[in-house]
Amino acid sequence: MTETRSSSAAALPLVGRIGLAAIFLLSGFSKLAAPAATIGYIQSAGLPLPQVAFGIAALIEVGGGLALVLGFRTRIVAAILAAFAIVTAFAFHHDLADQGQFINFWKNVAMAGGLLQVVAFGAGRFSLDARR
């Protein structure tokens, strides 16, 4: 019974990493599927160099999401994704009078909180980091 519990508990960080990575992967692949729309959205937010911002965002979301799932350099990747979530909250979801933006702002803050847990406690047993 203890063996089963410890194996189940050991899988929880993997499940958590997959859950956290899902939104980044979906968002990143959506950006890659419609780059012009994404660049237009970045421009509408008034950010400089929207093509560069698009490339950086897609790289962070897809690359970071995949690295998080695999548990590769997990603490560093989680820290980058947490910072990215906070930056995008302030850049794109700062109109807190709009209920949708309010929810998205706090969703990003919550994601950053979960990612900081990964920074603090690592990737767990089922990760590439555990094999090093």
Side-chain angles (χ1 to χ4, degrees):
M1 186 79 167
T2 305
E3 177 78 23
T4 303
R5 281 191 187 163
S6 66
S7 294
S8 297
L12 289 177
L14 171 62
V15 172
R17 291 193 329 266
I18 291 169
L20 285 166
I23 195 162
F24 292 103
L25 291 168
L26 290 170
S27 182
F29 286 126
S30 292
K31 282 176 178 55
L32 294 174
T38 303
I39 291 167
Y41 183 61
I42 294 168
Q43 273 180 317
S44 74
L47 296 177
L49 304 170
Q51 293 86 355
V52 174
F54 164 79
I56 291 169
L59 177 66
I60 288 173
E61 289 177 337
V62 174
L66 290 172
L68 193 61
V69 169
L70 296 172
F72 177 73
R73 306 251 182 217
T74 311
R75 291 176 193 257
I76 293 167
V77 167
I80 291 167
L81 290 171
F84 181 80
I86 295 299
V87 167
T88 57
F90 282 100
F92 296 102
H93 307 303
H94 57 273
D95 182 7
L96 300 182
D98 177 307
Q99 185 177 13
Q101 294 301 311
F102 180 87
I103 290 167
N104 280 316
F105 180 90
W106 289 107
K107 171 216 28 128
N108 280 36
V109 171
M111 290 182 341
L115 289 159
L116 291 175
Q117 289 287 308
V118 175
V119 172
F121 298 107
R125 185 189 319 169
F126 299 112
S127 67
L128 292 177
D129 287 349
R131 294 176 163 243
R132 295 190 294 149

